[in-house]
Amino acid sequence: MPIEGFDFKEFARSLAEQVGPALPPDIADADKQYVINIVHNFCYMAGEAIANDTTISFNAEQASIVTQFIGEWAFHKCIDIIRSGIDPQFRDGILQKIAFTVFEIAKTAIIKNLPQGDMIAVVEFHVKKAYNEALEELKNKGVLSEEQVKEAQSHSNIDEMAQQAAQQEAEAQANGAPPSEGYSAPANDNKILKLATFAIVLRHLPLEKRQGLLDKFSPEDASMLRDYANMEDLENKLDPSLVAKCLTEIKKTLPEPRKINKNRVYQRLYNIVKNSDISKISNIIGRERQFVKRFVTETAQGGGTTELPPRVADIICNHLEEKLNR
């Protein structure tokens, strides 16, 4: 069923018309026409698919956003591929993988009502991943060498254009001009990478602790964390060096472990047991290990020989309080 106000044919034509003036001067004429055709064809197919998809109910603005995402990324990665010198017969395959990725990720982002900044970042993150995977696939087939893959990965037209725009904006402001309306710094996928990295940590936590951490995030970020945590083979989809870097950054943001006074925590445990129903305490620790039972019992009696590190004793106190308050 057509989407009111969304003429995908006209929109694809309009986006393709904008390509020519935006093409860098170092691109050959034949390649310029290739880029224009790719943007038009991909936007046409994406717009048509959205308009005919009965499983979603996008309005004209949402349909335009997805289609424009595809057009923009087809444009940028097309230029990267051309500058990399990749044989023309392999260009379409790489670009199709990227277009499909953008189509699915952008649709999902809109359905989940992600903020625009997060949507831009998550699409960029997945475009880079799809691009690198397509290059690796060609390398494994013997089509590209390691050097050619690195060369292809070194190009980023979107970053070059963003840097040029930022430089022009800075020069204009230095000359007294006001900030350009609508100007914004290029999207950074660092947040997305951190979320994906944190999802790796979540996968190794018990379900109850995982949910407790998710509750501390915004609904949008929590939804993305769940998606990444459920992603098959997530660890191998991320660069280990970047994951290690992110984990280090995350660790820096965590509060320092608080120092726990041994006497205070023992007194706290004594008060918990003293002011609670002994039968409830017995039921709670009934299935615990023997040293825990002895520790609780002896401490409740005002002393004892069982010694535990203060942090472990504090955990036991928290566990007792949680169970008793239910």
Side-chain angles (χ1 to χ4, degrees):
M1 182 177 178
I3 299 173
E4 183 179 355
F6 178 64
D7 183 343
F8 68 85
K9 296 179 182 178
E10 176 59 27
F11 193 55
R13 185 194 63 76
S14 175
L15 291 175
E17 283 184 351
Q18 299 173 38
V19 171
L23 283 165
D26 62 305
I27 303 298
D29 289 343
D31 288 331
K32 287 180 180 178
Q33 190 57 51
Y34 174 75
V35 179
I36 293 171
N37 291 341
I38 279 289
V39 170
H40 177 268
N41 294 341
F42 282 4
C43 289
Y44 186 101
M45 289 187 290
E48 183 178 32
I50 294 172
N52 295 330
D53 191 341
T54 58
T55 65
I56 56 176
S57 56
F58 282 179
N59 58 34
E61 181 183 4
Q62 293 169 324
S64 298
I65 288 173
V66 175
T67 306
Q68 188 165 349
F69 263 128
I70 290 175
E72 289 178 350
W73 278 110
F75 171 80
H76 290 301
K77 299 318 290 182
C78 216
I79 292 173
D80 292 346
I81 290 170
I82 290 169
R83 285 173 169 168
S84 301
I86 293 175
D87 195 297
Q89 65 177 309
F90 303 114
R91 293 176 182 174
D92 284 5
I94 298 173
L95 292 168
Q96 284 167 5
K97 284 183 173 63
I98 291 170
F100 178 78
T101 296
V102 174
F103 185 72
E104 293 300 321
I105 297 300
K107 278 202 311 178
T108 301
I110 288 176
I111 291 170
K112 293 187 174 183
N113 199 31
L114 288 187
Q116 184 180 14
D118 289 351
M119 190 186 305
I120 292 171
V122 75
V123 169
E124 181 176 2
F125 176 81
H126 284 282
V127 165
K128 291 180 178 179
K129 187 165 75 70
Y131 183 56
N132 290 333
E133 287 175 353
L135 294 174
E136 287 294 326
E137 187 178 324
L138 290 176
K139 185 186 76 171
N140 294 335
K141 290 180 179 179
V143 173
L144 298 178
S145 65
E146 182 68 34
E147 291 71 23
Q148 288 174 307
V149 170
K150 289 181 179 178
E151 171 68 17
Q153 291 172 334
S154 70
H155 293 282
S156 180
N157 186 66
I158 190 171
D159 289 339
E160 290 179 17
M161 289 186 67
Q163 289 170 4
Q164 290 173 6
Q167 184 176 354
Q168 291 172 0
E169 181 71 14
E171 290 173 356
Q173 291 188 44
N175 294 327
S180 299
E181 185 177 350
Y183 173 78
S184 61
N188 192 317
D189 63 354
N190 188 46
K191 175 184 176 182
I192 304 300
L193 182 57
K194 282 185 176 180
L195 287 173
T197 301
F198 194 73
I200 294 176
V201 178
L202 284 181
R203 289 159 73 115
H204 298 282
L205 294 178
L207 287 176
E208 63 274 10
K209 288 189 177 181
R210 185 186 305 182
Q211 187 57 50
L213 289 172
L214 286 171
D215 290 341
K216 299 181 185 298
F217 288 84
S218 69
E220 294 84 3
D221 289 349
S223 178
M224 292 173 65
L225 278 168
R226 290 189 189 93
D227 289 344
Y228 281 120
N230 293 328
M231 186 179 293
E232 185 177 351
D233 202 25
L234 174 64
E235 289 83 351
N236 293 326
K237 293 180 184 293
L238 301 175
D239 185 327
S241 61
L242 292 178
V243 170
K245 181 180 177 182
C246 278
L247 286 173
T248 301
E249 292 179 6
I250 291 171
K251 186 177 180 181
K252 289 179 181 178
T253 66
L254 297 176
E256 290 293 327
R258 61 187 178 91
K259 293 182 178 179
I260 300 175
N261 182 283
K262 174 183 173 182
N263 293 331
R264 286 182 182 176
V265 75
Y266 277 33
Q267 182 62 44
R268 179 179 162 214
L269 177 59
Y270 173 79
N271 291 335
I272 290 172
V273 178
K274 179 182 177 182
N275 297 318
S276 303
D277 187 332
I278 192 63
S279 62
K280 289 184 178 180
I281 297 291
S282 299
N283 289 335
I284 293 171
I285 66 173
R287 295 184 181 181
E288 296 292 344
R289 285 160 290 186
Q290 287 299 321
F291 76 88
V292 173
K293 293 179 182 179
R294 285 199 305 271
F295 174 71
V296 173
T297 302
E298 292 174 0
T299 304
Q301 293 172 352
T305 58
T306 304
E307 291 281 339
L308 290 179
R311 192 163 299 280
V312 175
D314 188 56
I315 292 172
I316 293 173
C317 284
N318 291 335
H319 175 66
L320 287 172
E321 286 181 336
E322 180 184 351
K323 294 293 185 180
L324 288 166
N325 290 331
R326 286 184 177 179

